Each structure stands twice: as structure tokens, then as C-alpha cells.
mmCIF file of all heavy atoms in Angstrom:
data_model
loop_
_atom_site.group_PDB
_atom_site.id
_atom_site.type_symbol
_atom_site.label_atom_id
_atom_site.label_comp_id
_atom_site.label_asym_id
_atom_site.label_seq_id
_atom_site.Cartn_x
_atom_site.Cartn_y
_atom_site.Cartn_z
ATOM 1 N N VAL A 1 6.676 2.920 -8.205
ATOM 2 C CA VAL A 1 6.648 2.341 -6.862
ATOM 3 C C VAL A 1 7.851 2.830 -6.074
ATOM 4 O O VAL A 1 8.967 2.899 -6.598
ATOM 5 C CB VAL A 1 6.658 0.795 -6.921
ATOM 6 C CG1 VAL A 1 6.938 0.199 -5.544
ATOM 7 C CG2 VAL A 1 5.340 0.266 -7.445
ATOM 8 N N GLU A 2 7.617 3.155 -4.802
ATOM 9 C CA GLU A 2 8.696 3.448 -3.865
ATOM 10 C C GLU A 2 8.441 2.642 -2.595
ATOM 11 O O GLU A 2 7.298 2.524 -2.156
ATOM 12 C CB GLU A 2 8.739 4.934 -3.509
ATOM 13 C CG GLU A 2 9.022 5.855 -4.680
ATOM 14 C CD GLU A 2 8.960 7.323 -4.292
ATOM 15 O OE1 GLU A 2 8.958 7.621 -3.074
ATOM 16 O OE2 GLU A 2 8.888 8.164 -5.198
ATOM 17 N N VAL A 3 9.505 2.078 -2.014
ATOM 18 C CA VAL A 3 9.376 1.358 -0.750
ATOM 19 C C VAL A 3 10.472 1.787 0.212
ATOM 20 O O VAL A 3 11.559 2.186 -0.195
ATOM 21 C CB VAL A 3 9.421 -0.187 -0.924
ATOM 22 C CG1 VAL A 3 8.341 -0.669 -1.865
ATOM 23 C CG2 VAL A 3 10.797 -0.652 -1.371
ATOM 24 N N ASN A 4 10.152 1.682 1.486
ATOM 25 C CA ASN A 4 11.110 1.891 2.566
ATOM 26 C C ASN A 4 10.906 0.744 3.551
ATOM 27 O O ASN A 4 9.894 0.692 4.257
ATOM 28 C CB ASN A 4 10.885 3.242 3.249
ATOM 29 C CG ASN A 4 11.804 3.469 4.438
ATOM 30 O OD1 ASN A 4 12.685 2.650 4.716
ATOM 31 N ND2 ASN A 4 11.602 4.564 5.148
ATOM 32 N N LEU A 5 11.864 -0.181 3.591
ATOM 33 C CA LEU A 5 11.722 -1.352 4.450
ATOM 34 C C LEU A 5 11.771 -1.001 5.927
ATOM 35 O O LEU A 5 11.282 -1.765 6.763
ATOM 36 C CB LEU A 5 12.833 -2.369 4.148
ATOM 37 C CG LEU A 5 12.912 -2.913 2.725
ATOM 38 C CD1 LEU A 5 14.001 -3.977 2.642
ATOM 39 C CD2 LEU A 5 11.579 -3.470 2.260
ATOM 40 N N ASP A 6 12.341 0.146 6.254
ATOM 41 C CA ASP A 6 12.482 0.569 7.651
ATOM 42 C C ASP A 6 11.501 1.691 7.982
ATOM 43 O O ASP A 6 11.803 2.596 8.762
ATOM 44 C CB ASP A 6 13.922 1.023 7.904
ATOM 45 C CG ASP A 6 14.918 -0.072 7.588
ATOM 46 O OD1 ASP A 6 14.767 -1.170 8.147
ATOM 47 O OD2 ASP A 6 15.824 0.163 6.771
ATOM 48 N N GLY A 7 10.321 1.598 7.395
ATOM 49 C CA GLY A 7 9.336 2.657 7.551
ATOM 50 C C GLY A 7 8.410 2.450 8.739
ATOM 51 O O GLY A 7 8.716 1.719 9.683
ATOM 52 N N THR A 8 7.253 3.059 8.646
ATOM 53 C CA THR A 8 6.256 3.012 9.714
ATOM 54 C C THR A 8 4.921 2.450 9.227
ATOM 55 O O THR A 8 3.945 2.454 9.968
ATOM 56 C CB THR A 8 6.022 4.419 10.286
ATOM 57 O OG1 THR A 8 5.539 5.278 9.239
ATOM 58 C CG2 THR A 8 7.308 4.996 10.862
ATOM 59 N N GLY A 9 4.887 2.005 7.971
ATOM 60 C CA GLY A 9 3.635 1.524 7.402
ATOM 61 C C GLY A 9 2.836 2.621 6.734
ATOM 62 O O GLY A 9 1.617 2.495 6.580
ATOM 63 N N ALA A 10 3.494 3.684 6.303
ATOM 64 C CA ALA A 10 2.825 4.759 5.575
ATOM 65 C C ALA A 10 2.609 4.320 4.124
ATOM 66 O O ALA A 10 3.456 3.646 3.540
ATOM 67 C CB ALA A 10 3.656 6.032 5.623
ATOM 68 N N TYR A 11 1.482 4.701 3.550
ATOM 69 C CA TYR A 11 1.176 4.258 2.193
ATOM 70 C C TYR A 11 0.485 5.348 1.384
ATOM 71 O O TYR A 11 -0.165 6.232 1.919
ATOM 72 C CB TYR A 11 0.295 3.008 2.217
ATOM 73 C CG TYR A 11 -0.957 3.148 3.047
ATOM 74 C CD1 TYR A 11 -2.094 3.793 2.560
ATOM 75 C CD2 TYR A 11 -1.013 2.629 4.339
ATOM 76 C CE1 TYR A 11 -3.237 3.923 3.330
ATOM 77 C CE2 TYR A 11 -2.150 2.748 5.114
ATOM 78 C CZ TYR A 11 -3.258 3.398 4.610
ATOM 79 O OH TYR A 11 -4.388 3.529 5.385
ATOM 80 N N ASP A 12 0.669 5.233 0.082
ATOM 81 C CA ASP A 12 0.004 6.092 -0.894
ATOM 82 C C ASP A 12 -0.218 5.213 -2.115
ATOM 83 O O ASP A 12 0.697 4.999 -2.908
ATOM 84 C CB ASP A 12 0.887 7.303 -1.216
ATOM 85 C CG ASP A 12 0.278 8.215 -2.273
ATOM 86 O OD1 ASP A 12 -0.875 7.984 -2.681
ATOM 87 O OD2 ASP A 12 0.978 9.159 -2.696
ATOM 88 N N VAL A 13 -1.422 4.653 -2.230
ATOM 89 C CA VAL A 13 -1.682 3.601 -3.212
ATOM 90 C C VAL A 13 -2.837 3.999 -4.120
ATOM 91 O O VAL A 13 -3.907 4.391 -3.649
ATOM 92 C CB VAL A 13 -2.016 2.262 -2.513
ATOM 93 C CG1 VAL A 13 -2.288 1.172 -3.550
ATOM 94 C CG2 VAL A 13 -0.878 1.841 -1.587
ATOM 95 N N SER A 14 -2.606 3.867 -5.413
ATOM 96 C CA SER A 14 -3.663 4.124 -6.388
ATOM 97 C C SER A 14 -3.458 3.208 -7.587
ATOM 98 O O SER A 14 -2.565 3.437 -8.408
ATOM 99 C CB SER A 14 -3.647 5.594 -6.843
ATOM 100 O OG SER A 14 -4.626 5.819 -7.840
ATOM 101 N N THR A 15 -4.253 2.134 -7.650
ATOM 102 C CA THR A 15 -4.126 1.178 -8.747
ATOM 103 C C THR A 15 -5.283 1.262 -9.737
ATOM 104 O O THR A 15 -5.216 0.657 -10.806
ATOM 105 C CB THR A 15 -4.090 -0.265 -8.205
ATOM 106 O OG1 THR A 15 -5.373 -0.585 -7.634
ATOM 107 C CG2 THR A 15 -2.995 -0.435 -7.160
ATOM 108 N N GLY A 16 -6.339 1.962 -9.363
ATOM 109 C CA GLY A 16 -7.548 1.967 -10.174
ATOM 110 C C GLY A 16 -8.515 0.870 -9.797
ATOM 111 O O GLY A 16 -9.614 0.784 -10.349
ATOM 112 N N ILE A 17 -8.122 0.008 -8.859
ATOM 113 C CA ILE A 17 -8.981 -1.076 -8.367
ATOM 114 C C ILE A 17 -9.109 -0.887 -6.861
ATOM 115 O O ILE A 17 -8.153 -1.120 -6.116
ATOM 116 C CB ILE A 17 -8.387 -2.465 -8.678
ATOM 117 C CG1 ILE A 17 -8.075 -2.610 -10.172
ATOM 118 C CG2 ILE A 17 -9.343 -3.569 -8.225
ATOM 119 C CD1 ILE A 17 -7.265 -3.850 -10.507
ATOM 120 N N GLY A 18 -10.264 -0.490 -6.394
ATOM 121 C CA GLY A 18 -10.430 -0.096 -4.999
ATOM 122 C C GLY A 18 -10.037 -1.174 -3.998
ATOM 123 O O GLY A 18 -9.343 -0.904 -3.019
ATOM 124 N N PHE A 19 -10.471 -2.405 -4.228
ATOM 125 C CA PHE A 19 -10.177 -3.458 -3.258
ATOM 126 C C PHE A 19 -8.696 -3.809 -3.254
ATOM 127 O O PHE A 19 -8.117 -4.092 -2.202
ATOM 128 C CB PHE A 19 -11.013 -4.713 -3.537
ATOM 129 C CG PHE A 19 -10.987 -5.698 -2.399
ATOM 130 C CD1 PHE A 19 -11.831 -5.549 -1.304
ATOM 131 C CD2 PHE A 19 -10.100 -6.766 -2.399
ATOM 132 C CE1 PHE A 19 -11.793 -6.447 -0.241
ATOM 133 C CE2 PHE A 19 -10.055 -7.660 -1.349
ATOM 134 C CZ PHE A 19 -10.904 -7.503 -0.262
ATOM 135 N N LEU A 20 -8.048 -3.768 -4.415
ATOM 136 C CA LEU A 20 -6.607 -4.008 -4.473
ATOM 137 C C LEU A 20 -5.857 -2.918 -3.719
ATOM 138 O O LEU A 20 -4.901 -3.205 -2.992
ATOM 139 C CB LEU A 20 -6.135 -4.087 -5.924
ATOM 140 C CG LEU A 20 -4.638 -4.327 -6.132
ATOM 141 C CD1 LEU A 20 -4.186 -5.637 -5.495
ATOM 142 C CD2 LEU A 20 -4.307 -4.313 -7.631
ATOM 143 N N ASP A 21 -6.289 -1.659 -3.868
ATOM 144 C CA ASP A 21 -5.696 -0.575 -3.071
ATOM 145 C C ASP A 21 -5.772 -0.913 -1.586
ATOM 146 O O ASP A 21 -4.792 -0.779 -0.850
ATOM 147 C CB ASP A 21 -6.458 0.739 -3.303
ATOM 148 C CG ASP A 21 -6.235 1.348 -4.671
ATOM 149 O OD1 ASP A 21 -5.418 0.816 -5.439
ATOM 150 O OD2 ASP A 21 -6.894 2.363 -4.964
ATOM 151 N N HIS A 22 -6.945 -1.356 -1.151
ATOM 152 C CA HIS A 22 -7.176 -1.671 0.262
ATOM 153 C C HIS A 22 -6.231 -2.768 0.742
ATOM 154 O O HIS A 22 -5.679 -2.690 1.845
ATOM 155 C CB HIS A 22 -8.634 -2.084 0.441
ATOM 156 C CG HIS A 22 -9.043 -2.397 1.839
ATOM 157 N ND1 HIS A 22 -8.716 -1.619 2.924
ATOM 158 C CD2 HIS A 22 -9.772 -3.443 2.338
ATOM 159 C CE1 HIS A 22 -9.225 -2.149 4.027
ATOM 160 N NE2 HIS A 22 -9.865 -3.268 3.697
ATOM 161 N N MET A 23 -6.007 -3.785 -0.071
ATOM 162 C CA MET A 23 -5.145 -4.898 0.329
ATOM 163 C C MET A 23 -3.669 -4.472 0.370
ATOM 164 O O MET A 23 -2.941 -4.851 1.290
ATOM 165 C CB MET A 23 -5.328 -6.086 -0.612
ATOM 166 C CG MET A 23 -6.685 -6.769 -0.508
ATOM 167 S SD MET A 23 -7.052 -7.418 1.154
ATOM 168 C CE MET A 23 -8.144 -6.127 1.786
ATOM 169 N N ILE A 24 -3.223 -3.687 -0.608
ATOM 170 C CA ILE A 24 -1.831 -3.216 -0.591
ATOM 171 C C ILE A 24 -1.615 -2.278 0.590
ATOM 172 O O ILE A 24 -0.558 -2.291 1.235
ATOM 173 C CB ILE A 24 -1.459 -2.539 -1.923
ATOM 174 C CG1 ILE A 24 -1.508 -3.567 -3.065
ATOM 175 C CG2 ILE A 24 -0.062 -1.907 -1.849
ATOM 176 C CD1 ILE A 24 -1.324 -2.969 -4.455
ATOM 177 N N GLU A 25 -2.628 -1.481 0.911
ATOM 178 C CA GLU A 25 -2.538 -0.623 2.096
ATOM 179 C C GLU A 25 -2.420 -1.454 3.369
ATOM 180 O O GLU A 25 -1.651 -1.121 4.278
ATOM 181 C CB GLU A 25 -3.769 0.291 2.149
ATOM 182 C CG GLU A 25 -3.774 1.372 1.080
ATOM 183 C CD GLU A 25 -5.127 2.050 0.894
ATOM 184 O OE1 GLU A 25 -6.096 1.670 1.594
ATOM 185 O OE2 GLU A 25 -5.226 2.948 0.039
ATOM 186 N N GLN A 26 -3.184 -2.548 3.445
ATOM 187 C CA GLN A 26 -3.074 -3.445 4.603
ATOM 188 C C GLN A 26 -1.666 -4.046 4.682
ATOM 189 O O GLN A 26 -1.082 -4.157 5.772
ATOM 190 C CB GLN A 26 -4.106 -4.568 4.520
ATOM 191 C CG GLN A 26 -5.551 -4.115 4.617
ATOM 192 C CD GLN A 26 -5.898 -3.529 5.969
ATOM 193 O OE1 GLN A 26 -5.258 -3.832 6.979
ATOM 194 N NE2 GLN A 26 -6.886 -2.665 6.001
ATOM 195 N N PHE A 27 -1.139 -4.442 3.533
ATOM 196 C CA PHE A 27 0.217 -4.991 3.495
ATOM 197 C C PHE A 27 1.233 -3.980 4.018
ATOM 198 O O PHE A 27 2.091 -4.303 4.839
ATOM 199 C CB PHE A 27 0.567 -5.420 2.071
ATOM 200 C CG PHE A 27 2.003 -5.829 1.887
ATOM 201 C CD1 PHE A 27 2.573 -6.794 2.703
ATOM 202 C CD2 PHE A 27 2.781 -5.238 0.914
ATOM 203 C CE1 PHE A 27 3.907 -7.174 2.534
ATOM 204 C CE2 PHE A 27 4.105 -5.603 0.739
ATOM 205 C CZ PHE A 27 4.673 -6.570 1.556
ATOM 206 N N SER A 28 1.116 -2.744 3.582
ATOM 207 C CA SER A 28 2.031 -1.699 4.033
ATOM 208 C C SER A 28 1.902 -1.451 5.526
ATOM 209 O O SER A 28 2.892 -1.473 6.269
ATOM 210 C CB SER A 28 1.760 -0.400 3.257
ATOM 211 O OG SER A 28 2.520 0.666 3.774
#
């Protein structure tokens, strides 16, 4: 995992669970 609190909401998510990816992307 990498995070940048001062970012722009860019994401690169792959958990193996499609809906969880979608929710973490929404969070980002």
C-alpha cells in the first residue's frame, strides 16, 4: 500500500474482489 494525503484522488487498486476495488477507489 502507498498513500499520499495531499494527492488528487489518484488510485491503483487490485484486491481480487471487484466490488471492494470499486469502494476503495471511491474512497480515494
